[in-house]
Amino acid sequence: MIIIKKAYLLSMADINYELRDILIDKGKILKIAKNINEEDYKDATVIKAVGRYVTPGLIDAHCHVGILEEVYKEGNDVNELTNPITPELRAIDGINPNDRYFRSALESGITTVNVGPGSGNLIGGTFTTLKLRGKTLEEMIMVKESAMKMALGENPKRVYGSSSKTPMTRMASAALIRENLTKSENYHRKYLAYLEKLNNGEDVTFDVDLKMHSLMRVFDGLPVKIHAHRADDIETAVRILEEFKLKYTIEHCTEGYLIPDFLQKHKVSCVLGPIMSNRSKPEVQNKTYDSGRILAEYKIPFAVMTDHPVIELDNTLLQLGRFIRAGLNELDALKAVTINAAKLTNIDHKVGSIEVGKEADIVIWSHNPFHYLAQPKVVLIDGKIMYKK
């Protein structure tokens, strides 16, 4: 049991910029009050926040920590560039839990990451959601397979077009995704019919196709995270995924700010970024920190990613600070890496805000998190102190 006293709380829920005490028991938030009497909980460890900013643990909704180390080729397991359609792949099978960036992320206040394959393939496999706890991947897993990765735009075109393979064009990219979704939908229908016969006691068999068996889960509600920078690619992504009635988020959404009415009309949610990096290819030439403010003005739900290692995870708040300087409200900026990131990763029933009943992933900061001197003093995950400075 832990009591955090005099937290200057940014709960990302109904209590923000107010002093509160927080009672934690068995890994969860048990009580939030203006004063919790320590004498009522004599066995509790008391952490005196003395008015310091206290927030939920930060969440990165899209990164490649543990699966991509740019410096060493041996550490690059992020893209299987041998086939543009690889839904059977799982990020969880390529992650090195001893990647040093897991520790530096924790020491920067990040408690949860959503890690996935890269964007070299049109359909690249599944993301996994991890908490930065323990020494093994088994201890870190929060959601084994959290989303199916897809991609449009330059990356798959460059990878396969340079070898004179399909896709060489945006037309072919869209056609291949549509073709495989159609195949998967038909496969899904046959699989459901097989299960029904099996449940009725019939003697039936079913030939499993690993690709289609993995991909068909999008028709059971597995979300799609689709990489799209340019406005036209965003529109294509929406067109295809709405055609198949799938749950999805637009990943990167670099030019989304140019078509906010379209995003609003189609009720699109975005995982925005990275912005704090160079303009390394044509489709990111129009990126701007104004995008966060514009999406917020149009009430378009969005989180902000680092795409680590494009931006290192420990620079999460540094990037957010630039969005604030461009006019994004401070609280909205923090929500983009807490409650919004949790909602768009479908884990907001557990984390993303400091509320009674939620898992106690909490950061006590030395200063306002966006102050240039700010650093975590204490980081808790599941009510356990994982880092203390």
Side-chain angles (χ1 to χ4, degrees), residues 154-188:
E154 291 179 33
N155 289 4
K157 277 182 56 183
R158 182 182 66 252
V159 169
Y160 295 97
S162 62
S163 301
S164 297
K165 297 179 181 178
T166 302
M168 296 182 71
T169 65
R170 280 177 162 81
M171 293 182 294
S173 294
L176 270 175
I177 290 176
R178 189 176 278 112
E179 176 188 356
N180 280 276
L181 283 173
T182 300
K183 287 180 181 178
S184 177
E185 190 172 30
N186 290 334
Y187 179 94
H188 183 245

PDB file of all heavy atoms in Angstrom, residues 154-188:
ATOM      1  N   GLU A 154       4.941   5.974 -49.721  1.00  0.00           N
ATOM      2  CA  GLU A 154       6.255   5.765 -50.320  1.00  0.00           C
ATOM      3  C   GLU A 154       6.949   4.473 -49.908  1.00  0.00           C
ATOM      4  O   GLU A 154       7.631   3.849 -50.727  1.00  0.00           O
ATOM      5  CB  GLU A 154       7.185   6.935 -49.963  1.00  0.00           C
ATOM      6  CG  GLU A 154       6.813   8.241 -50.612  1.00  0.00           C
ATOM      7  CD  GLU A 154       7.766   9.349 -50.184  1.00  0.00           C
ATOM      8  OE1 GLU A 154       8.953   9.065 -49.958  1.00  0.00           O
ATOM      9  OE2 GLU A 154       7.313  10.491 -50.079  1.00  0.00           O
ATOM     10  N   ASN A 155       6.842   4.075 -48.656  1.00  0.00           N
ATOM     11  CA  ASN A 155       7.690   2.984 -48.164  1.00  0.00           C
ATOM     12  C   ASN A 155       7.501   1.670 -48.903  1.00  0.00           C
ATOM     13  O   ASN A 155       8.472   1.101 -49.422  1.00  0.00           O
ATOM     14  CB  ASN A 155       7.512   2.816 -46.659  1.00  0.00           C
ATOM     15  CG  ASN A 155       8.142   3.965 -45.883  1.00  0.00           C
ATOM     16  OD1 ASN A 155       8.654   4.921 -46.462  1.00  0.00           O
ATOM     17  ND2 ASN A 155       8.109   3.881 -44.577  1.00  0.00           N
ATOM     18  N   PRO A 156       6.270   1.122 -48.976  1.00  0.00           N
ATOM     19  CA  PRO A 156       6.131  -0.127 -49.739  1.00  0.00           C
ATOM     20  C   PRO A 156       6.429   0.058 -51.221  1.00  0.00           C
ATOM     21  O   PRO A 156       6.976  -0.852 -51.863  1.00  0.00           O
ATOM     22  CB  PRO A 156       4.672  -0.542 -49.495  1.00  0.00           C
ATOM     23  CG  PRO A 156       3.986   0.653 -48.938  1.00  0.00           C
ATOM     24  CD  PRO A 156       5.021   1.485 -48.284  1.00  0.00           C
ATOM     25  N   LYS A 157       6.097   1.209 -51.780  1.00  0.00           N
ATOM     26  CA  LYS A 157       6.438   1.488 -53.187  1.00  0.00           C
ATOM     27  C   LYS A 157       7.940   1.433 -53.416  1.00  0.00           C
ATOM     28  O   LYS A 157       8.425   0.845 -54.391  1.00  0.00           O
ATOM     29  CB  LYS A 157       5.946   2.888 -53.583  1.00  0.00           C
ATOM     30  CG  LYS A 157       4.492   2.990 -53.980  1.00  0.00           C
ATOM     31  CD  LYS A 157       4.144   4.416 -54.391  1.00  0.00           C
ATOM     32  CE  LYS A 157       5.070   4.882 -55.511  1.00  0.00           C
ATOM     33  NZ  LYS A 157       4.809   6.286 -55.887  1.00  0.00           N
ATOM     34  N   ARG A 158       8.691   2.037 -52.515  1.00  0.00           N
ATOM     35  CA  ARG A 158      10.152   2.085 -52.662  1.00  0.00           C
ATOM     36  C   ARG A 158      10.758   0.696 -52.503  1.00  0.00           C
ATOM     37  O   ARG A 158      11.622   0.287 -53.294  1.00  0.00           O
ATOM     38  CB  ARG A 158      10.749   3.033 -51.621  1.00  0.00           C
ATOM     39  CG  ARG A 158      12.260   3.181 -51.730  1.00  0.00           C
ATOM     40  CD  ARG A 158      12.823   4.102 -50.654  1.00  0.00           C
ATOM     41  NE  ARG A 158      12.667   3.546 -49.313  1.00  0.00           N
ATOM     42  CZ  ARG A 158      11.817   4.000 -48.411  1.00  0.00           C
ATOM     43  NH1 ARG A 158      11.028   5.024 -48.699  1.00  0.00           N
ATOM     44  NH2 ARG A 158      11.745   3.445 -47.215  1.00  0.00           N
ATOM     45  N   VAL A 159      10.304  -0.034 -51.499  1.00  0.00           N
ATOM     46  CA  VAL A 159      10.875  -1.357 -51.206  1.00  0.00           C
ATOM     47  C   VAL A 159      10.677  -2.310 -52.373  1.00  0.00           C
ATOM     48  O   VAL A 159      11.625  -2.965 -52.837  1.00  0.00           O
ATOM     49  CB  VAL A 159      10.250  -1.947 -49.925  1.00  0.00           C
ATOM     50  CG1 VAL A 159      10.637  -3.411 -49.763  1.00  0.00           C
ATOM     51  CG2 VAL A 159      10.696  -1.144 -48.711  1.00  0.00           C
ATOM     52  N   TYR A 160       9.453  -2.396 -52.887  1.00  0.00           N
ATOM     53  CA  TYR A 160       9.162  -3.394 -53.920  1.00  0.00           C
ATOM     54  C   TYR A 160       9.306  -2.842 -55.330  1.00  0.00           C
ATOM     55  O   TYR A 160       9.744  -3.560 -56.238  1.00  0.00           O
ATOM     56  CB  TYR A 160       7.776  -4.008 -53.670  1.00  0.00           C
ATOM     57  CG  TYR A 160       7.784  -4.774 -52.380  1.00  0.00           C
ATOM     58  CD1 TYR A 160       7.331  -4.205 -51.197  1.00  0.00           C
ATOM     59  CD2 TYR A 160       8.329  -6.056 -52.326  1.00  0.00           C
ATOM     60  CE1 TYR A 160       7.393  -4.896 -50.001  1.00  0.00           C
ATOM     61  CE2 TYR A 160       8.393  -6.757 -51.131  1.00  0.00           C
ATOM     62  CZ  TYR A 160       7.926  -6.175 -49.969  1.00  0.00           C
ATOM     63  OH  TYR A 160       8.014  -6.855 -48.788  1.00  0.00           O
ATOM     64  N   GLY A 161       8.982  -1.576 -55.512  1.00  0.00           N
ATOM     65  CA  GLY A 161       9.126  -0.970 -56.837  1.00  0.00           C
ATOM     66  C   GLY A 161      10.569  -0.929 -57.303  1.00  0.00           C
ATOM     67  O   GLY A 161      10.863  -1.077 -58.500  1.00  0.00           O
ATOM     68  N   SER A 162      11.504  -0.739 -56.376  1.00  0.00           N
ATOM     69  CA  SER A 162      12.929  -0.689 -56.739  1.00  0.00           C
ATOM     70  C   SER A 162      13.439  -2.034 -57.240  1.00  0.00           C
ATOM     71  O   SER A 162      14.479  -2.114 -57.887  1.00  0.00           O
ATOM     72  CB  SER A 162      13.768  -0.235 -55.535  1.00  0.00           C
ATOM     73  OG  SER A 162      13.645  -1.168 -54.468  1.00  0.00           O
ATOM     74  N   SER A 163      12.690  -3.105 -56.940  1.00  0.00           N
ATOM     75  CA  SER A 163      13.048  -4.436 -57.428  1.00  0.00           C
ATOM     76  C   SER A 163      12.107  -4.897 -58.542  1.00  0.00           C
ATOM     77  O   SER A 163      12.043  -6.089 -58.856  1.00  0.00           O
ATOM     78  CB  SER A 163      12.998  -5.449 -56.276  1.00  0.00           C
ATOM     79  OG  SER A 163      13.881  -5.079 -55.245  1.00  0.00           O
ATOM     80  N   SER A 164      11.367  -3.941 -59.109  1.00  0.00           N
ATOM     81  CA  SER A 164      10.399  -4.223 -60.182  1.00  0.00           C
ATOM     82  C   SER A 164       9.364  -5.259 -59.757  1.00  0.00           C
ATOM     83  O   SER A 164       8.982  -6.141 -60.521  1.00  0.00           O
ATOM     84  CB  SER A 164      11.126  -4.679 -61.461  1.00  0.00           C
ATOM     85  OG  SER A 164      11.957  -3.647 -61.936  1.00  0.00           O
ATOM     86  N   LYS A 165       8.929  -5.140 -58.503  1.00  0.00           N
ATOM     87  CA  LYS A 165       7.882  -6.006 -57.981  1.00  0.00           C
ATOM     88  C   LYS A 165       6.674  -5.158 -57.611  1.00  0.00           C
ATOM     89  O   LYS A 165       6.775  -3.945 -57.396  1.00  0.00           O
ATOM     90  CB  LYS A 165       8.386  -6.767 -56.742  1.00  0.00           C
ATOM     91  CG  LYS A 165       9.544  -7.722 -57.018  1.00  0.00           C
ATOM     92  CD  LYS A 165       9.985  -8.396 -55.722  1.00  0.00           C
ATOM     93  CE  LYS A 165      11.150  -9.333 -55.952  1.00  0.00           C
ATOM     94  NZ  LYS A 165      11.627  -9.952 -54.690  1.00  0.00           N
ATOM     95  N   THR A 166       5.542  -5.805 -57.520  1.00  0.00           N
ATOM     96  CA  THR A 166       4.333  -5.120 -57.062  1.00  0.00           C
ATOM     97  C   THR A 166       4.398  -4.936 -55.551  1.00  0.00           C
ATOM     98  O   THR A 166       4.774  -5.871 -54.842  1.00  0.00           O
ATOM     99  CB  THR A 166       3.096  -5.958 -57.424  1.00  0.00           C
ATOM    100  OG1 THR A 166       3.074  -6.163 -58.826  1.00  0.00           O
ATOM    101  CG2 THR A 166       1.809  -5.267 -56.999  1.00  0.00           C
ATOM    102  N   PRO A 167       4.081  -3.715 -55.022  1.00  0.00           N
ATOM    103  CA  PRO A 167       3.495  -2.570 -55.706  1.00  0.00           C
ATOM    104  C   PRO A 167       4.553  -1.553 -56.161  1.00  0.00           C
ATOM    105  O   PRO A 167       5.486  -1.261 -55.418  1.00  0.00           O
ATOM    106  CB  PRO A 167       2.625  -1.953 -54.613  1.00  0.00           C
ATOM    107  CG  PRO A 167       3.393  -2.227 -53.344  1.00  0.00           C
ATOM    108  CD  PRO A 167       4.067  -3.548 -53.547  1.00  0.00           C
ATOM    109  N   MET A 168       4.362  -1.029 -57.351  1.00  0.00           N
ATOM    110  CA  MET A 168       5.209   0.069 -57.841  1.00  0.00           C
ATOM    111  C   MET A 168       4.469   1.402 -57.759  1.00  0.00           C
ATOM    112  O   MET A 168       5.086   2.457 -57.869  1.00  0.00           O
ATOM    113  CB  MET A 168       5.631  -0.186 -59.278  1.00  0.00           C
ATOM    114  CG  MET A 168       6.519  -1.411 -59.473  1.00  0.00           C
ATOM    115  SD  MET A 168       7.041  -1.640 -61.192  1.00  0.00           S
ATOM    116  CE  MET A 168       8.193  -0.271 -61.381  1.00  0.00           C
ATOM    117  N   THR A 169       3.144   1.326 -57.600  1.00  0.00           N
ATOM    118  CA  THR A 169       2.325   2.536 -57.606  1.00  0.00           C
ATOM    119  C   THR A 169       1.368   2.542 -56.417  1.00  0.00           C
ATOM    120  O   THR A 169       1.123   1.502 -55.784  1.00  0.00           O
ATOM    121  CB  THR A 169       1.487   2.617 -58.898  1.00  0.00           C
ATOM    122  OG1 THR A 169       0.556   1.510 -58.900  1.00  0.00           O
ATOM    123  CG2 THR A 169       2.371   2.549 -60.142  1.00  0.00           C
ATOM    124  N   ARG A 170       0.794   3.694 -56.154  1.00  0.00           N
ATOM    125  CA  ARG A 170      -0.230   3.794 -55.115  1.00  0.00           C
ATOM    126  C   ARG A 170      -1.463   2.986 -55.496  1.00  0.00           C
ATOM    127  O   ARG A 170      -2.155   2.433 -54.643  1.00  0.00           O
ATOM    128  CB  ARG A 170      -0.596   5.262 -54.869  1.00  0.00           C
ATOM    129  CG  ARG A 170       0.418   5.979 -53.975  1.00  0.00           C
ATOM    130  CD  ARG A 170       0.087   7.451 -53.789  1.00  0.00           C
ATOM    131  NE  ARG A 170       0.792   7.996 -52.643  1.00  0.00           N
ATOM    132  CZ  ARG A 170       2.070   8.386 -52.661  1.00  0.00           C
ATOM    133  NH1 ARG A 170       2.764   8.292 -53.789  1.00  0.00           N
ATOM    134  NH2 ARG A 170       2.640   8.873 -51.570  1.00  0.00           N
ATOM    135  N   MET A 171      -1.752   2.903 -56.810  1.00  0.00           N
ATOM    136  CA  MET A 171      -2.895   2.103 -57.264  1.00  0.00           C
ATOM    137  C   MET A 171      -2.716   0.642 -56.881  1.00  0.00           C
ATOM    138  O   MET A 171      -3.634  -0.008 -56.364  1.00  0.00           O
ATOM    139  CB  MET A 171      -3.056   2.224 -58.781  1.00  0.00           C
ATOM    140  CG  MET A 171      -3.455   3.606 -59.262  1.00  0.00           C
ATOM    141  SD  MET A 171      -3.689   3.660 -61.059  1.00  0.00           S
ATOM    142  CE  MET A 171      -2.008   3.351 -61.644  1.00  0.00           C
ATOM    143  N   ALA A 172      -1.527   0.119 -57.129  1.00  0.00           N
ATOM    144  CA  ALA A 172      -1.259  -1.282 -56.811  1.00  0.00           C
ATOM    145  C   ALA A 172      -1.285  -1.520 -55.308  1.00  0.00           C
ATOM    146  O   ALA A 172      -1.746  -2.573 -54.846  1.00  0.00           O
ATOM    147  CB  ALA A 172       0.084  -1.707 -57.401  1.00  0.00           C
ATOM    148  N   SER A 173      -0.792  -0.567 -54.528  1.00  0.00           N
ATOM    149  CA  SER A 173      -0.813  -0.698 -53.071  1.00  0.00           C
ATOM    150  C   SER A 173      -2.240  -0.867 -52.567  1.00  0.00           C
ATOM    151  O   SER A 173      -2.545  -1.780 -51.787  1.00  0.00           O
ATOM    152  CB  SER A 173      -0.169   0.527 -52.416  1.00  0.00           C
ATOM    153  OG  SER A 173       1.207   0.605 -52.716  1.00  0.00           O
ATOM    154  N   ALA A 174      -3.126   0.016 -53.036  1.00  0.00           N
ATOM    155  CA  ALA A 174      -4.527  -0.056 -52.616  1.00  0.00           C
ATOM    156  C   ALA A 174      -5.171  -1.352 -53.091  1.00  0.00           C
ATOM    157  O   ALA A 174      -5.922  -2.001 -52.349  1.00  0.00           O
ATOM    158  CB  ALA A 174      -5.287   1.151 -53.158  1.00  0.00           C
ATOM    159  N   ALA A 175      -4.867  -1.750 -54.325  1.00  0.00           N
ATOM    160  CA  ALA A 175      -5.471  -2.960 -54.887  1.00  0.00           C
ATOM    161  C   ALA A 175      -5.050  -4.209 -54.123  1.00  0.00           C
ATOM    162  O   ALA A 175      -5.873  -5.102 -53.866  1.00  0.00           O
ATOM    163  CB  ALA A 175      -5.100  -3.095 -56.361  1.00  0.00           C
ATOM    164  N   LEU A 176      -3.770  -4.285 -53.750  1.00  0.00           N
ATOM    165  CA  LEU A 176      -3.283  -5.458 -53.020  1.00  0.00           C
ATOM    166  C   LEU A 176      -3.898  -5.554 -51.623  1.00  0.00           C
ATOM    167  O   LEU A 176      -4.229  -6.647 -51.150  1.00  0.00           O
ATOM    168  CB  LEU A 176      -1.763  -5.420 -52.918  1.00  0.00           C
ATOM    169  CG  LEU A 176      -0.984  -6.089 -54.050  1.00  0.00           C
ATOM    170  CD1 LEU A 176       0.510  -5.856 -53.884  1.00  0.00           C
ATOM    171  CD2 LEU A 176      -1.272  -7.581 -54.094  1.00  0.00           C
ATOM    172  N   ILE A 177      -4.022  -4.420 -50.943  1.00  0.00           N
ATOM    173  CA  ILE A 177      -4.664  -4.441 -49.625  1.00  0.00           C
ATOM    174  C   ILE A 177      -6.120  -4.871 -49.769  1.00  0.00           C
ATOM    175  O   ILE A 177      -6.608  -5.739 -49.031  1.00  0.00           O
ATOM    176  CB  ILE A 177      -4.565  -3.061 -48.940  1.00  0.00           C
ATOM    177  CG1 ILE A 177      -3.117  -2.776 -48.536  1.00  0.00           C
ATOM    178  CG2 ILE A 177      -5.474  -3.018 -47.709  1.00  0.00           C
ATOM    179  CD1 ILE A 177      -2.897  -1.398 -47.947  1.00  0.00           C
ATOM    180  N   ARG A 178      -6.803  -4.300 -50.748  1.00  0.00           N
ATOM    181  CA  ARG A 178      -8.212  -4.637 -50.967  1.00  0.00           C
ATOM    182  C   ARG A 178      -8.372  -6.126 -51.337  1.00  0.00           C
ATOM    183  O   ARG A 178      -9.273  -6.808 -50.851  1.00  0.00           O
ATOM    184  CB  ARG A 178      -8.784  -3.741 -52.068  1.00  0.00           C
ATOM    185  CG  ARG A 178     -10.289  -3.851 -52.230  1.00  0.00           C
ATOM    186  CD  ARG A 178     -10.822  -2.876 -53.255  1.00  0.00           C
ATOM    187  NE  ARG A 178     -11.002  -1.539 -52.684  1.00  0.00           N
ATOM    188  CZ  ARG A 178     -10.274  -0.469 -53.026  1.00  0.00           C
ATOM    189  NH1 ARG A 178      -9.294  -0.582 -53.894  1.00  0.00           N
ATOM    190  NH2 ARG A 178     -10.520   0.696 -52.469  1.00  0.00           N
ATOM    191  N   GLU A 179      -7.477  -6.613 -52.187  1.00  0.00           N
ATOM    192  CA  GLU A 179      -7.535  -8.014 -52.602  1.00  0.00           C
ATOM    193  C   GLU A 179      -7.394  -8.950 -51.399  1.00  0.00           C
ATOM    194  O   GLU A 179      -8.141  -9.925 -51.249  1.00  0.00           O
ATOM    195  CB  GLU A 179      -6.427  -8.296 -53.617  1.00  0.00           C
ATOM    196  CG  GLU A 179      -6.328  -9.755 -54.045  1.00  0.00           C
ATOM    197  CD  GLU A 179      -5.111 -10.042 -54.906  1.00  0.00           C
ATOM    198  OE1 GLU A 179      -4.364  -9.097 -55.242  1.00  0.00           O
ATOM    199  OE2 GLU A 179      -4.889 -11.224 -55.234  1.00  0.00           O
ATOM    200  N   ASN A 180      -6.435  -8.649 -50.536  1.00  0.00           N
ATOM    201  CA  ASN A 180      -6.187  -9.535 -49.403  1.00  0.00           C
ATOM    202  C   ASN A 180      -7.249  -9.402 -48.322  1.00  0.00           C
ATOM    203  O   ASN A 180      -7.543 -10.386 -47.624  1.00  0.00           O
ATOM    204  CB  ASN A 180      -4.784  -9.300 -48.866  1.00  0.00           C
ATOM    205  CG  ASN A 180      -3.738 -10.006 -49.701  1.00  0.00           C
ATOM    206  OD1 ASN A 180      -3.477 -11.184 -49.514  1.00  0.00           O
ATOM    207  ND2 ASN A 180      -3.169  -9.283 -50.659  1.00  0.00           N
ATOM    208  N   LEU A 181      -7.837  -8.236 -48.178  1.00  0.00           N
ATOM    209  CA  LEU A 181      -8.963  -8.105 -47.258  1.00  0.00           C
ATOM    210  C   LEU A 181     -10.165  -8.892 -47.771  1.00  0.00           C
ATOM    211  O   LEU A 181     -10.892  -9.516 -46.989  1.00  0.00           O
ATOM    212  CB  LEU A 181      -9.322  -6.632 -47.054  1.00  0.00           C
ATOM    213  CG  LEU A 181      -8.396  -5.845 -46.129  1.00  0.00           C
ATOM    214  CD1 LEU A 181      -8.748  -4.362 -46.147  1.00  0.00           C
ATOM    215  CD2 LEU A 181      -8.432  -6.383 -44.698  1.00  0.00           C
ATOM    216  N   THR A 182     -10.372  -8.886 -49.090  1.00  0.00           N
ATOM    217  CA  THR A 182     -11.467  -9.660 -49.671  1.00  0.00           C
ATOM    218  C   THR A 182     -11.251 -11.150 -49.450  1.00  0.00           C
ATOM    219  O   THR A 182     -12.160 -11.880 -49.034  1.00  0.00           O
ATOM    220  CB  THR A 182     -11.582  -9.358 -51.178  1.00  0.00           C
ATOM    221  OG1 THR A 182     -11.832  -7.966 -51.370  1.00  0.00           O
ATOM    222  CG2 THR A 182     -12.725 -10.156 -51.809  1.00  0.00           C
ATOM    223  N   LYS A 183     -10.023 -11.622 -49.707  1.00  0.00           N
ATOM    224  CA  LYS A 183      -9.688 -13.026 -49.468  1.00  0.00           C
ATOM    225  C   LYS A 183      -9.898 -13.389 -47.998  1.00  0.00           C
ATOM    226  O   LYS A 183     -10.442 -14.445 -47.666  1.00  0.00           O
ATOM    227  CB  LYS A 183      -8.240 -13.297 -49.847  1.00  0.00           C
ATOM    228  CG  LYS A 183      -7.961 -13.337 -51.337  1.00  0.00           C
ATOM    229  CD  LYS A 183      -6.479 -13.620 -51.570  1.00  0.00           C
ATOM    230  CE  LYS A 183      -6.137 -13.657 -53.054  1.00  0.00           C
ATOM    231  NZ  LYS A 183      -4.668 -13.876 -53.252  1.00  0.00           N
ATOM    232  N   SER A 184      -9.461 -12.504 -47.131  1.00  0.00           N
ATOM    233  CA  SER A 184      -9.558 -12.762 -45.697  1.00  0.00           C
ATOM    234  C   SER A 184     -11.005 -12.774 -45.232  1.00  0.00           C
ATOM    235  O   SER A 184     -11.383 -13.588 -44.378  1.00  0.00           O
ATOM    236  CB  SER A 184      -8.769 -11.699 -44.940  1.00  0.00           C
ATOM    237  OG  SER A 184      -8.901 -11.866 -43.561  1.00  0.00           O
ATOM    238  N   GLU A 185     -11.804 -11.885 -45.782  1.00  0.00           N
ATOM    239  CA  GLU A 185     -13.222 -11.846 -45.409  1.00  0.00           C
ATOM    240  C   GLU A 185     -13.913 -13.148 -45.824  1.00  0.00           C
ATOM    241  O   GLU A 185     -14.719 -13.710 -45.062  1.00  0.00           O
ATOM    242  CB  GLU A 185     -13.900 -10.650 -46.065  1.00  0.00           C
ATOM    243  CG  GLU A 185     -15.300 -10.381 -45.575  1.00  0.00           C
ATOM    244  CD  GLU A 185     -15.870  -9.085 -46.101  1.00  0.00           C
ATOM    245  OE1 GLU A 185     -15.499  -8.676 -47.228  1.00  0.00           O
ATOM    246  OE2 GLU A 185     -16.690  -8.471 -45.396  1.00  0.00           O
ATOM    247  N   ASN A 186     -13.600 -13.643 -47.015  1.00  0.00           N
ATOM    248  CA  ASN A 186     -14.168 -14.907 -47.476  1.00  0.00           C
ATOM    249  C   ASN A 186     -13.685 -16.070 -46.607  1.00  0.00           C
ATOM    250  O   ASN A 186     -14.455 -16.972 -46.257  1.00  0.00           O
ATOM    251  CB  ASN A 186     -13.798 -15.154 -48.939  1.00  0.00           C
ATOM    252  CG  ASN A 186     -14.510 -14.192 -49.881  1.00  0.00           C
ATOM    253  OD1 ASN A 186     -15.589 -13.687 -49.560  1.00  0.00           O
ATOM    254  ND2 ASN A 186     -13.919 -13.933 -51.024  1.00  0.00           N
ATOM    255  N   TYR A 187     -12.400 -16.050 -46.271  1.00  0.00           N
ATOM    256  CA  TYR A 187     -11.816 -17.071 -45.398  1.00  0.00           C
ATOM    257  C   TYR A 187     -12.509 -17.055 -44.035  1.00  0.00           C
ATOM    258  O   TYR A 187     -12.836 -18.108 -43.475  1.00  0.00           O
ATOM    259  CB  TYR A 187     -10.319 -16.809 -45.250  1.00  0.00           C
ATOM    260  CG  TYR A 187      -9.575 -17.765 -44.348  1.00  0.00           C
ATOM    261  CD1 TYR A 187      -8.934 -18.888 -44.863  1.00  0.00           C
ATOM    262  CD2 TYR A 187      -9.486 -17.531 -42.969  1.00  0.00           C
ATOM    263  CE1 TYR A 187      -8.224 -19.759 -44.041  1.00  0.00           C
ATOM    264  CE2 TYR A 187      -8.790 -18.399 -42.140  1.00  0.00           C
ATOM    265  CZ  TYR A 187      -8.165 -19.506 -42.684  1.00  0.00           C
ATOM    266  OH  TYR A 187      -7.480 -20.355 -41.848  1.00  0.00           O
ATOM    267  N   HIS A 188     -12.730 -15.868 -43.512  1.00  0.00           N
ATOM    268  CA  HIS A 188     -13.392 -15.690 -42.214  1.00  0.00           C
ATOM    269  C   HIS A 188     -14.792 -16.289 -42.238  1.00  0.00           C
ATOM    270  O   HIS A 188     -15.216 -16.977 -41.287  1.00  0.00           O
ATOM    271  CB  HIS A 188     -13.447 -14.196 -41.888  1.00  0.00           C
ATOM    272  CG  HIS A 188     -14.030 -13.882 -40.550  1.00  0.00           C
ATOM    273  ND1 HIS A 188     -15.214 -13.193 -40.393  1.00  0.00           N
ATOM    274  CD2 HIS A 188     -13.594 -14.162 -39.290  1.00  0.00           C
ATOM    275  CE1 HIS A 188     -15.472 -13.048 -39.104  1.00  0.00           C
ATOM    276  NE2 HIS A 188     -14.515 -13.626 -38.409  1.00  0.00           N
TER     277      HIS A 188
END
